[in-house]
Amino acid sequence: MNKETTPPLFDVLISPRWADQDSMGHINHVQYFRYLEEARVQWMTNTGFGMSGSGELSGMIVAAAGLNFRKEWHHDKPLRVRAWSVHIGNSSFRLLQSLYSEDGGELVAEGEITLVCIDAKHRPIPIADSERAQLQKCLLVQ
């Protein structure tokens, strides 16, 4: 399956802020990581992914993150953040995260992030069955 036929795990619209620009007038590279984080947090909040029964985050850490920049962007144009699963392990999973123009027609940046589920002592724990099912629905077969 590919991105055109596989539904994204999430699809979130982000509005870059004036202060996100650098001295060259385009969005500073570090801001893209913040946009991706904001979209992931919205997804987890809206779906309960990674939350315990009490609604609190049970534990997830970023083990690796990378991003390839394809096009410069400016503060007055919204960005669409989409993500798909690309690997589901025992306690970790990788997402392909993409930032597009609002209409989804222009790829602005794309990269992978590895997230690990952890317990209170920061030891890896298995991905819950319900969360694994969510990830499986949006898995890109590479």
Side-chain angles (χ1 to χ4, degrees):
M1 299 178 105
N2 59 41
K3 290 192 297 187
E4 288 74 36
T5 60
T6 304
L9 193 58
F10 56 84
D11 186 335
V12 175
L13 203 57
I14 301 289
S15 296
R17 297 164 294 273
W18 174 264
D20 295 347
Q21 294 181 111
D22 59 20
S23 62
M24 296 179 68
H26 59 261
I27 301 299
N28 182 276
H29 65 281
V30 76
Q31 299 302 332
Y32 293 96
F33 288 96
R34 290 187 175 123
Y35 302 153
L36 294 169
E37 177 184 46
E38 184 177 331
R40 284 192 313 273
V41 169
Q42 283 187 37
W43 160 60
M44 289 186 293
T45 301
N46 292 339
T47 65
F49 191 97
M51 304 289 181
S52 66
S54 64
E56 294 187 20
L57 190 62
S58 55
M60 205 175 318
I61 60 168
V62 174
L67 203 55
N68 295 309
F69 302 96
R70 306 290 186 209
K71 182 177 180 63
E72 72 176 47
W73 209 249
H74 302 278
H75 86 282
D76 60 340
K77 301 189 298 184
L79 285 166
R80 182 166 299 283
V81 180
R82 293 181 178 144
W84 293 266
S85 309
V86 292
H87 175 79
I88 307 167
N90 181 48
S91 60
S92 67
F93 59 95
R94 278 194 338 262
L95 300 179
L96 173 66
Q97 303 178 119
S98 302
L99 293 114
Y100 294 95
S101 57
E102 183 175 10
D103 65 3
E106 296 177 81
L107 180 62
V108 177
E110 185 168 63
E112 289 190 9
I113 187 166
T114 301
L115 299 162
V116 180
C117 300
I118 58 170
D119 64 15
K121 293 184 179 179
H122 291 225
R123 293 179 301 217
I125 58 172
I127 300 168
D129 291 341
S130 61
E131 294 168 350
R132 185 175 297 280
Q134 283 186 53
L135 295 169
Q136 192 68 42
K137 289 178 190 175
C138 304
L139 182 63
L140 295 177
V141 179
Q142 298 180 348

